[in-house]
Amino acid sequence: MFNLVIFGGPGSGKGTQSDKLIDRYGLTHISTGQMLREEIAAGTELGKIADSYISNGNLIPDKLMCEILADEIDKLAPAAKGFIFDGFPRTIHQAEELEKILERRGMKVDHVVGLEVPDEELTSRLLNRGQGRADDNAETISRRLEVYHATTSPLRDYYVNSGIYRPIHGLGSIDEIFNRIIEAIGQNV
Ligand code: AMP
C-alpha cells in the first residue's frame, strides 16, 4: 500500500494532478468534494446536508466527513493498491482522524504533495473554471479561500513536522508540475 494526500488551496490543481498520479501509480482516487457533489446530484439526504455547506463555501462538519471517508476506504480498500486523498484532510482534526483510520487498517500516509499556488492565481483559475461548478462563483470563491487560510493551511505545518510534506511549486504547465511531483516522491514509490 502506498498512500498520498494531495494538498493545496481550491483551484491549486489537486484534481488534475490526481488524475495523472492515478495513471502513473495505479492509485485509487478518493475525492471528498466529488463524492459530496455526487450525493447532491442524486438528491440524497446526505446530499441535502452537504449542499447547505458547499454552496456557501463552508466545510462539512468533521465528524460527518470522517465517517463518510472511513466508509469509502472500507468500500474501496480490497481492490486498492493505494489511495490518493484529494480534498481530505482539510482540518487538523481530520488529519488526526485520517491517521487513526489508516492505522487501524494497517496503513499510513506516505507523502503529502503540497501544491503551492498564490491566491491571485487560485482566484483566476476558479473563475475560469466557473462554468461547471455551482461553488465556482466570485462570492463562494472568496469564502473558500478564507476557509482555506483559516482552517486548512495550518495543516502544512502539521505535515512538515511529521516529515512527509513535499512542497511543489504549483505554477507552470500541467506536465511541468507533474514532473516536479514525480521527482519529489519518485524515489520512494
Ligand atoms: P473540493 O471539490 O475538494 O474543492 O470540495 C468542494 C467542497 O466540498 C468544499 O468547499 C467543502 O464545502 C466540501 N468538502 C470537500 N472535502 C471536504 C472535507 N474534507 N471537509 C469538509 N468539507 C469538504
Side-chain angles (χ1 to χ4, degrees):
M1 268 279 190
F2 167 77
N3 300 304
L4 293 180
V5 166
I6 191 149
F7 179 78
S12 59
K14 298 189 295 290
T16 305
Q17 295 298 334
S18 290
D19 288 344
K20 294 180 74 72
L21 286 161
I22 289 158
D23 275 356
R24 173 70 66 104
Y25 297 117
L27 299 172
T28 296
H29 196 196
I30 296 192
S31 161
T32 44
Q34 199 176 306
M35 288 168 61
L36 296 168
R37 281 188 291 277
E38 282 165 14
E39 294 288 334
I40 293 171
T44 63
E45 276 312 305
L46 172 59
K48 282 176 201 149
I49 297 169
D51 192 32
S52 68
Y53 294 96
I54 293 182
S55 58
N56 294 315
N58 292 319
L59 298 183
I60 275 71
D62 281 345
K63 187 166 180 291
L64 177 60
M65 201 65 249
C66 291
E67 282 168 12
I68 297 171
L69 182 92
D71 286 350
E72 187 74 356
I73 290 175
D74 286 335
K75 194 173 95 192
L76 298 174
K81 272 172 59 183
F83 289 109
I84 181 159
F85 298 100
D86 167 3
F88 189 101
R90 260 179 157 96
T91 65
I92 301 270
H93 181 72
Q94 288 183 10
E96 290 168 349
E97 282 302 307
L98 178 63
E99 224 168 282
K100 289 185 207 156
I101 291 168
L102 291 179
E103 198 178 301
R104 277 187 222 119
R105 292 158 178 81
M107 299 186 267
K108 66 177 171 49
V109 175
D110 294 278
H111 302 279
V112 176
V113 172
L115 298 173
E116 308 207 329
V117 178
D119 270 13
E120 311 79 72
E121 172 73 11
L122 294 178
T123 305
S124 89
R125 287 187 195 174
L126 291 169
L127 285 170
N128 285 331
R129 184 172 85 175
Q131 301 83 4
R133 268 176 59 168
D135 58 348
D136 286 345
N137 60 73
E139 198 182 323
T140 312
I141 289 168
S142 91
R143 175 68 190 148
R144 282 157 66 205
L145 282 172
E146 209 177 284
V147 169
Y148 175 70
H149 287 296
T151 311
T152 304
S153 67
L155 270 177
R156 184 186 188 281
D157 283 346
Y158 175 89
Y159 281 127
V160 168
N161 290 334
S162 35
I164 56 173
Y165 188 77
R166 319 291 173 228
I168 304 293
H169 177 55
L171 295 180
S173 73
I174 291 172
D175 285 332
E176 277 165 359
I177 297 165
F178 183 63
N179 288 332
R180 289 176 202 141
I181 298 175
I182 297 301
E183 224 169 275
I185 66 173
Q187 304 85 322
N188 301 294
V189 180

